[in-house]
Amino acid sequence: MGRFLLRRLIGQGAEATVWLAHDPRLDREVALKLRHEPLAKGEMDAWLHEARAVGRLRHPHIVPVFEADVHEGRPYMVFEWVPGGTLAERLRRGPVPWREALTMACDVLDALQVAHEAGVIHRDLKPSNILIDAQGRARVMDFGIAARLDARGQAVGGAQGGAIVGTPGYIAPEAARGEPPGPAVDVFALALILAEMLGGAPVRHPASDPAQAMRRAAVELVVLPESLGERADAHLRAVLAQALVFDPVQRTASARALREALANWRDSAEGGEAHSAPMPLEGPSTVTGAGQGTLDFLWRRMRHKSDFPALGEAVARIHRVASDEQANLSSLANEILKDVALTHKLLRVVNSASFVHAGGGTIGTVSRAVALVGLSGVRNMALSLVLLEHMADRSHAQALTQEFLRALMAGMLAQSLGQTPQEREEAFIGAMFRNLGRLLVGFYFAEEAREVRELAERVGETRAAWRVLGVDYETLGCEVVRRWGLPASLQQVMRAPAGGPPARRLSAPPERLRWLASAANELADVLLAGDPAQAGARVEAVAARHAPSLALRPESVADAVRQAREQVGDFVQASALSLPGDSPVRQWLNAPTVTALADEAPLDLALEATALPPDALPDPGEPTLRLPQAAQDGALVQSLLTAGIADVTQAMVNDQVDLSQVLRMVLETLYRAVGFSRVVFCLRDAKSDQLTGRFGLGEDVEALCQVFRVPLQVPAGKAPDLFTAVCQRGADTLIVDTRTGAIAEALPDWFHRTVKARSFLVLPLTVKQVPFGMIYADLLPPHTLALGEQVLAQLRTLRNQAVMAFRQLAS
């Protein structure tokens, strides 16, 4: 075939055969894959284009493509010949030892990450496409049906959707439905392969009818087998479950993220800790955009303090034991007894009036408490107490206590509104932990939490959190729970559903649990708003809103509120909490009735961005941001920004923050990653009340700094220029073309005389809505800026880090 001599057939599939062949020109053995059928002209061009993309992949764990050609209309590819066998052949002998399985999985994920960064998706990853060489290394082969992605991560060519490509046992649900592929399909397949290596059998049961198997793969959730080997624990199951989430948006973010999570577990297991306490997931975050800097900074603070690392370990340990069907009473009791303070308070709670019916007020041991109240009931109380204990020693503990009790109220309301014992216990955790992000920010970033509360009165809490932190509280809490190693099912319940309650009856988790948690949090919010004795009508309003989906009756809601009031009161008393008389919780507990609710709508979880017209200034009101898509949103730009953000975060973790160093790192990351012509940092001058250029990078930047004078106040009757308007409103603004009429007129004279940029980006720095600085970055003609959402989000992260550096220095 061409110059290649076919030696013997070594594999055959539905679309092609694979031969061991000899290349006489280079005198080497190769593997040659030949399609059964010829391709049409249009199909051939697309195939050759994809073959070139695959041929450029270079990685030790990818079998390289040497050549691609056509023989009598039938395309073929020539690969390196790898002596050994496939993983499929190895699996016929039974499970793979856990160390070997984890090593091979990490090798494959390294290879996939390189392919994904090059815009190539494998989309048919399976054991027969993973070779094991003579050194025992896993090597990925057969990218012959790979999909290509453009710089924005969008499928191109024949991969744009419609065609179903893959193997039923390993295909992701979205791929089985013919949706455009992305990196998540390969992450899904690798998780199935690893589970099969550990357990010794395919996770999906093979079907005799391939079409039926594909239809099932498109709609069915993956359930991990009971056993994944002797060393697999709840934390490893959680890692795999996260990578197998049905919705690709909620799935593990990337091959790198899954690789790091598995490596962390492997390191823990090799240290003999796999059965004791799950290690936090410290791999790359599922959070993208402006919140990544906030999350990384928060996580490092948590690791450097004695508070929440211990909390995370305790939460994960208690939740794992109580959720394990094989757990017994003593195993949970032993976990709780490790903490003397927790043991004491737990016994006080279970002997309170709320549980007098269970033990007659004479429960003296944790084991008996577990036996009488139940594994899940004690788990919920223990987690509540653990959460409270770690927040009781800060100067702002009173505000945190109020926030904690509001979260506890939500959990208890959800528990009372549940229909079955299992639903009640899971709803408690989901509803309470939905508030974890708010609690963490209040604990670690008291000033920012106060700023969010003040801004929330005008724009709502979700938008306020985005503006101040770059991430909403809910996402922050879910990411921390993921890093603690708690199951993906809990993370799903923690995420509030979008829109209003559905009109149909909900019966299946997690959707019903999510709405139950939402209803409970609505109740908690309105119970603590206004006069508790004047809200009977609002109780009925909440019940009516959720009645179609959750089958709530006004009387059941009233009963839930009454039970929650009793339980919270008992908890406050048993925990010896001191509440001021004017606190919302104290007023609610002392109210003669418990029907006080408010008719507030649920928070809008989506941060809305209004496009900034290229020919007009932003209207007063909400911050606006133009989000064009662009070549500057490529993988290289994002990776440089990510590396810079990590460096800045690491510098900020140090006790002695060098503000000048942090700011220069921020500007250097902007300048190098995106390729701006000039970047200038401006800071407020107290005497003139202007933002003035202080330092920067790029062409003639010293002269440029001298001309930047942005007044923060303008005389009455005089219109502000563009920079003043943008900074007064704190609006991240991208100007694509300064030549358009209204934009050109709004720019100050000094800009037209000296700066002369075609496109520029402005990132204001504000504290409590008051501007104190500005980052300016531009491109000189003839170039124009075109930044995608991913890059814009990362740029805002850098801006947020600069603001945090100022705040950290001030504190």
Side-chain angles (χ1 to χ4, degrees):
M1 186 163 296
R3 73 172 189 273
F4 300 100
L5 305 176
L6 304 187
R7 298 297 195 196
R8 59 182 173 87
L9 184 67
I10 57 177
Q12 185 164 352
E15 294 186 350
T17 53
V18 181
W19 294 81
L20 173 63
H22 180 71
D23 181 355
R25 181 179 300 169
L26 298 176
D27 191 24
R28 65 181 178 184
E29 302 296 296
V30 296
L32 186 148
K33 182 177 181 180
L34 174 68
R35 285 184 62 96
H36 296 317
E37 302 294 335
L39 291 178
K41 178 64 169 63
E43 295 175 321
M44 184 66 72
D45 291 342
W47 178 82
L48 286 172
H49 199 82
E50 292 176 2
R52 295 187 190 103
V54 174
R56 288 191 288 268
L57 297 178
R58 292 290 183 270
H59 191 271
H61 298 292
I62 295 178
V63 178
V65 176
F66 290 154
E67 197 166 326
D69 209 336
V70 179
H71 176 74
E72 298 179 353
R74 297 160 64 191
Y76 66 88
M77 281 188 179
V78 180
F79 301 86
E80 175 189 352
W81 165 243
V82 180
T86 66
L87 177 59
E89 294 167 342
R90 168 62 186 82
L91 286 170
R92 295 191 189 111
R93 304 199 303 268
V96 179
W98 69 271
R99 284 189 180 87
E100 182 182 343
L102 266 290
T103 298
M104 284 196 288
C106 290
D107 290 347
V108 172
L109 287 166
D110 284 338
L112 291 176
Q113 185 64 33
V114 168
H116 294 169
E117 289 174 352
V120 177
I121 310 299
H122 192 291
R123 55 174 189 167
D124 192 27
L125 192 66
K126 54 189 175 183
S128 59
N129 282 337
I130 298 174
L131 296 176
I132 303 175
D133 64 15
Q135 289 74 40
R137 298 179 303 174
R139 304 187 66 185
V140 183
M141 65 168 289
D142 200 0
F143 281 85
I145 58 172
R148 291 181 295 109
L149 305 182
D150 61 18
R152 295 171 296 170
Q154 304 296 316
V156 296
Q160 290 178 313
I164 298 176
V165 177
T167 302
Y170 305 94
I171 194 170
E174 65 273 18
R177 295 191 296 269
E179 297 174 8
V185 303
D186 289 346
V187 169
F188 188 95
L190 188 279
L192 285 174
I193 293 169
L194 176 56
E196 183 176 348
M197 283 195 283
L198 295 170
V203 176
R204 282 177 173 157
H205 298 295
S208 57
D209 180 2
Q212 181 185 4
M214 196 66 79
R215 287 193 295 270
R216 286 171 49 190
V219 298
E220 290 184 356
L221 300 177
V222 171
V223 179
L224 289 170
E226 291 291 331
S227 174
L228 290 176
E230 61 178 1
R231 294 303 298 269
D233 60 8
H235 181 221
L236 178 59
R237 294 179 69 90
V239 171
L240 290 173
Q242 183 64 38
L244 293 170
V245 170
F246 186 85
D247 182 359
V249 175
Q250 301 295 330
R251 202 173 296 156
T252 303
S254 65
R256 179 183 289 117
L258 180 56
R259 194 248 189 245
E260 292 298 324
L262 292 174
N264 281 334
W265 182 87
R266 180 185 60 191
D267 295 344
S268 153
E270 287 176 342
E273 301 173 3
H275 289 293
S276 57
M279 292 286 288
L281 297 182
E282 297 178 27
S285 170
T286 58
V287 175
T288 59
Q292 187 62 54
T294 298
L295 174 64
D296 288 342
F297 189 42
L298 169 66
W299 188 248
R300 283 171 172 79
R301 272 201 176 182
M302 289 167 64
R303 293 183 62 193
H304 283 77
K305 302 290 183 180
S306 61
D307 308 295
F308 273 92
L311 166 64
E313 181 179 328
V315 167
R317 191 174 63 240
I318 293 172
H319 185 85
R320 184 187 75 231
V321 174
S323 302
D324 186 353
E325 295 179 357
Q326 305 301 318
N328 52 37
L329 300 183
S330 62
S331 59
L332 179 59
N334 289 339
E335 294 296 341
I336 294 171
L337 288 169
K338 294 176 182 177
D339 188 325
V340 176
L342 173 62
T343 301
H344 178 67
K345 289 191 175 182
L346 176 64
L347 291 176
R348 290 182 64 181
V349 171
V350 298
N351 279 289
S352 65
S354 298
F355 295 97
V356 70
H357 65 281
T362 59
I363 303 174
T365 65
V366 174
S367 296
R368 187 156 181 261
V370 174
L372 293 172
V373 180
L375 285 169
S376 296
V378 170
R379 172 199 65 180
N380 292 347
M381 282 186 286
L383 294 185
S384 303
L385 288 164
V386 168
L387 197 62
L388 178 64
E389 281 295 298
H390 287 275
M391 293 185 175
D393 59 350
R394 286 296 180 97
S395 59
H396 50 286
Q398 193 57 247
L400 282 169
T401 300
Q402 296 292 325
E403 291 283 5
F404 164 77
L405 291 175
R406 198 214 70 85
L408 181 64
M409 279 174 56
M412 291 178 171
L413 286 164
Q415 186 177 43
S416 298
L417 292 173
Q419 294 182 340
T420 66
Q422 181 176 358
E423 181 179 83
R424 285 193 284 270
E425 305 307 340
E426 297 307 315
F428 177 96
I429 293 295
M432 187 176 74
F433 271 52
R434 190 173 286 184
N435 302 280
L436 181 62
R438 186 186 299 107
L439 289 167
L440 290 172
V441 171
F443 187 81
Y444 284 103
F445 305 123
E447 182 63 30
E448 285 81 356
R450 190 177 301 110
E451 187 175 344
V452 171
R453 287 196 295 271
E454 294 171 357
L455 184 58
E457 296 177 1
R458 294 188 286 112
V459 301
E461 186 182 68
T462 299
R463 287 190 180 185
W466 269 102
R467 291 191 195 176
V468 176
L469 302 166
V471 63
D472 61 272
Y473 284 156
E474 178 187 282
T475 301
L476 198 63
C478 286
E479 180 61 21
V480 170
V481 163
R482 183 189 75 86
R483 293 188 179 198
W484 280 347
L486 296 185
S489 58
L490 173 58
Q491 299 169 45
Q492 290 179 325
V493 178
M494 287 173 63
R495 287 204 172 272
R504 57 184 174 84
R505 175 78 174 272
L506 298 173
S507 58
E511 198 65 14
R512 177 176 165 80
L513 285 170
R514 292 174 71 195
W515 279 108
L516 199 56
S518 293
N521 274 279
E522 279 186 57
L523 286 171
D525 282 334
V526 297
L527 276 168
L528 300 181
D531 185 354
Q534 305 295 322
R538 293 196 292 269
V539 175
E540 297 178 1
V542 172
R545 285 186 67 244
H546 291 277
S549 56
L550 300 176
L552 298 183
R553 302 186 310 275
E555 56 271 23
S556 66
V557 175
D559 286 342
V561 172
R562 184 169 54 252
Q563 291 177 34
R565 181 174 183 258
E566 294 172 357
Q567 291 173 336
V568 172
D570 288 341
F571 187 93
V572 169
Q573 184 176 6
S575 302
L577 295 178
S578 176
L579 299 178
D582 61 350
S583 72
V585 174
R586 173 60 67 191
Q587 291 180 359
W588 175 60
L589 292 175
N590 292 340
T593 63
V594 290
T595 56
L597 295 175
D599 53 355
E600 298 176 356
L603 293 173
D604 180 9
L605 294 181
L607 176 64
E608 298 178 1
T610 307
L612 173 64
D615 58 351
L617 275 172
D619 293 330
E622 296 296 321
T624 59
L625 187 64
R626 182 175 175 82
L627 301 174
Q629 300 298 320
Q632 286 141 323
D633 200 16
L636 177 60
V637 174
Q638 292 184 47
S639 99
L640 288 172
L641 286 170
T642 300
I645 289 169
D647 289 344
V648 174
T649 301
Q650 190 61 48
M652 293 172 64
V653 171
N654 298 328
D655 293 334
Q656 300 298 324
V657 176
D658 185 336
L659 181 60
S660 175
Q661 177 190 4
V662 169
L663 294 177
R664 290 184 183 278
M665 290 172 66
V666 168
L667 264 61
E668 182 182 345
T669 301
L670 282 164
Y671 182 72
R672 289 182 57 246
V674 182
F676 286 114
S677 299
R678 292 91 57 97
V679 180
V680 176
F681 179 81
C682 299
L683 195 63
R684 178 178 176 269
D685 177 77
K687 292 182 179 180
S688 62
D689 200 24
Q690 291 182 330
L691 299 181
T692 62
R694 299 300 178 91
F695 60 91
L697 296 169
E699 185 177 335
D700 296 325
V701 73
E702 292 81 9
L704 202 64
C705 289
Q706 297 301 316
V707 304
F708 264 87
R709 295 292 185 270
V710 179
L712 295 177
Q713 302 295 332
V714 294
K718 183 178 180 181
D721 66 33
L722 187 145
F723 290 104
T724 299
V726 164
C727 291
Q728 285 177 338
R729 293 177 47 230
D732 302 327
T733 303
L734 174 63
I735 300 299
V736 177
D737 194 342
T738 58
R739 298 170 299 177
T740 57
I743 293 294
E745 293 174 6
L747 288 168
D749 290 339
W750 54 262
F751 183 92
H752 292 298
R753 288 195 311 267
T754 308
V755 182
K756 300 177 182 178
R758 177 74 57 83
S759 301
F760 65 85
L761 174 70
V762 178
L763 301 173
L765 281 66
T766 63
V767 172
K768 295 185 177 180
Q769 313 310 306
V770 177
F772 72 91
M774 179 184 81
I775 296 175
Y776 166 91
D778 67 19
L779 278 182
L780 292 172
H783 306 292
T784 57
L785 277 171
L787 304 174
E789 289 191 46
Q790 293 277 353
V791 166
L792 282 167
Q794 289 177 299
L795 297 179
R796 284 179 293 199
T797 295
L798 283 165
R799 183 272 314 282
N800 292 342
Q801 289 182 314
V803 174
M804 283 187 181
F806 274 96
R807 288 173 172 163
Q808 189 172 352
L809 184 67
S811 62

